[in-house]
């Protein structure tokens, strides 16, 4: 019974970490290298993460710089960034690719805030699925006679408390991200 609770706690902590990582890929008004994590470059016919074809740095708060290891891939890197949903326009000087991260318009901020909210809801669904799995395991233990009905009820209450705590955590992370997006 305790192992089920510990397993649930561990899974939910990983879900929160995954949410935080997911939020690093949603653009705010500042440049960060993680915002390019989901961009895939067609590198010799293989969709490759951009951080595997060059070094990404942030020389200034509103500028990203990509130094490709293979200079022949520069055109593909530029194309991948332009085609992404980030709304960025890279420039190429033959050696490095620079990306000026423009300030977000009010409309784009609202759009990104909605996206952040949607992502939070998806992660809440993950938490609820983890809760359901834990409850199913507990019911199976009760069915097999390993725990009593009272122990089952108590354990399910613990599972619900854990779930509520992590959903609250998701809400806090989501609010912080939305405020970050909406900050001018």
């Amino acid at each position: 019974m305790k192992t089920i609770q510990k397993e649930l706690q561990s899974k939910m902590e990983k879900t929160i970490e995954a949410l935080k990582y997911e939020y690093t890929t949603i653009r705010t008004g500042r440049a960060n290298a993680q915002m390019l994590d989901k961009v895939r470059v067609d590198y010799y016919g293989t969709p490759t993460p951009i951080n595997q074809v060059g070094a990404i740095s942030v020389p200034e708060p509103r500028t990203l710089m990509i130094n490709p290891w293979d200079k022949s891939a520069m055109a593909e890197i530029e194309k991948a960034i332009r085609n992404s949903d980030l709304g960025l326009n890279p420039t190429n000087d033959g050696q490095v690719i620079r990306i000026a991260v423009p300030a977000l318009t009010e409309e784009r901020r609202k759009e990104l805030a909605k996206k952040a909210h949607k992502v939070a809801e998806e992660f809440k669904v993950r938490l609820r699925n983890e809760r359901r799995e834990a409850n199913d395991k507990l019911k199976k233990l009760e069915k097999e006679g390993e725990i009593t009905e009272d122990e089952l009820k108590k354990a399910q209450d613990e599972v619900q408390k854990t779930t509520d705590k992590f959903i609250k955590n998701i809400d806090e992370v989501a609010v912080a991200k939305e405020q970050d997006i909406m900050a001018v």
Side-chain angles (χ1 to χ4, degrees), residues 23 116-117 120 169-181:
Y23 274 169
H117 183 73
N169 197 332
I170 283 180
D171 286 337
E172 290 166 359
V173 171
V175 164
K177 182 63 177 183
E178 287 178 29
Q179 286 174 342
D180 192 27
I181 291 169

Side-chain angles (χ1 to χ4, degrees), residues 24-26 28 30-36 58 61 64 101 177:
T24 64
T25 65
I26 296 178
T28 59
R30 293 180 298 280
N32 80 34
Q34 288 85 15
M35 63 196 283
L36 297 175
V58 185
L64 284 171
V101 178
K177 182 63 177 183

Side-chain angles (χ1 to χ4, degrees), residues 1 3-9 11 129-147 152 155-156 159:
M1 213 164 55
T3 57
I4 293 172
Q5 185 67 24
K6 283 183 181 173
E7 188 180 309
L8 177 68
Q9 181 89 16
K11 281 182 177 180
N129 288 338
E130 290 163 3
R131 174 189 61 195
R132 185 179 34 80
E133 287 172 19
N135 282 335
D136 289 348
K137 288 177 186 176
L138 290 168
K139 287 175 189 170
K140 185 178 176 195
L141 286 177
E142 193 242 351
K143 193 174 181 183
E144 293 170 353
E146 292 185 35
I147 60 173
L152 171 67
Q156 286 178 326
V159 165

Side-chain angles (χ1 to χ4, degrees), residues 3 24 36 51 61 71 104 108 117 122 128 163 169 175:
T3 57
T24 64
L36 297 175
N51 61 0
K71 302 297 183 203
L104 296 171
R108 182 72 173 143
H117 183 73
E122 290 168 8
R128 291 182 190 114
T163 305
N169 197 332
V175 164

